[in-house]
Amino acid sequence: MSTSEEFIPVGKISGAFGVKGWVKVYSFTEPRTNILQYSPLFLSRRGDWIEIKVSGGRLQGKGVVMGIENVTDRDQVQPLVGADLAIKKSQLEPVDEDEFYWNDLEGLTVVNLQNQVLGKVDHLLETGANDVLVVKADGKKAEILIPFVVDEIVKLVDLDEEIIQVDWSEDY
């Protein structure tokens, strides 16, 4: 059985669509319809990941709808609402040297140029201009928001050492 560490969340089933067993999906991918390109796709059921096959899908308004093989009516969808959708990490395309998947950055320790530990990357935000690291320090409620601008602010990302070095101060 696979562990959850092997899986990257790419969406969540948010409801039923129509009467033929299609589901509404909140997609984490960019663009949203990229979730339909992954094969296989995995669904979380009672803590286990089950491989599913997408039988069709499209953009519907501001969301995505898709069919799942062997799910043929609305009643079969109801127990799936809220289920996470994921892919295996091995399904991701390799990235260039200074590019990173968000999930690779989450959990890394952030230090500044003075080697002060600012905290760990909790998650990232997309702002349009640039992505933002949301850093949480142990024992502190406040978050530190650091623009993810390589060379200017982010000086080093070392995935092996699990460190991100930034030109940033605790006081910003």
Side-chain angles (χ1 to χ4, degrees):
M1 177 137 336
S2 300
T3 63
S4 61
E5 279 75 37
E6 296 177 18
F7 293 93
I8 309 288
V10 292
K12 186 181 256 332
I13 295 177
S14 60
F17 178 78
V19 295
K20 295 186 178 181
W22 277 43
V23 296
K24 293 178 186 177
V25 175
Y26 180 77
S27 175
F28 305 156
T29 64
E30 184 60 43
R32 282 182 225 142
T33 54
N34 274 4
I35 195 169
L36 301 171
Q37 306 307 313
Y38 290 114
S39 182
L41 197 58
F42 296 86
L43 179 131
S44 177
R45 287 286 295 238
R46 298 179 200 101
D48 291 328
W49 290 104
I50 300 166
E51 185 174 328
I52 61 170
K53 182 173 168 101
V54 176
S55 61
R58 67 178 184 271
L59 195 60
Q60 179 71 30
K62 292 185 177 183
V64 174
V65 296
M66 72 179 188
I68 300 172
E69 193 171 87
N70 299 322
V71 176
T72 56
D73 72 40
R74 191 175 184 88
D75 293 336
Q76 290 177 293
V77 171
Q78 294 311 314
L80 303 178
V81 174
D84 291 321
L85 297 170
I87 59 171
K88 286 191 174 184
K89 186 169 182 146
S90 59
Q91 290 175 258
L92 294 173
E93 295 287 325
V95 294
D96 291 333
E97 186 177 320
D98 281 337
E99 294 180 332
F100 306 94
Y101 285 110
W102 282 13
N103 69 298
D104 290 333
L105 302 175
E106 291 170 353
L108 297 186
T109 300
V110 179
V111 298
N112 63 17
L113 297 177
Q114 292 74 38
N115 273 336
Q116 289 177 297
V117 175
L118 301 178
K120 291 189 182 275
V121 178
D122 184 66
H123 61 281
L124 286 93
L125 299 172
E126 183 178 0
T127 64
N130 49 265
D131 297 332
V132 174
L133 298 169
V134 179
V135 179
K136 289 191 176 180
D138 290 336
K140 293 185 179 179
K141 288 184 181 180
E143 299 171 332
I144 301 170
L145 303 178
I146 303 172
F148 192 81
V149 181
V150 177
D151 294 331
E152 188 176 325
I153 295 170
V154 176
K155 299 300 184 180
L156 170 75
V157 175
D158 188 331
L159 297 177
D160 294 329
E161 294 295 323
E162 299 183 352
I163 294 274
I164 299 175
Q165 186 179 50
V166 295
D167 187 2
W168 204 256
S169 171
E170 278 186 304
D171 302 335
Y172 288 171

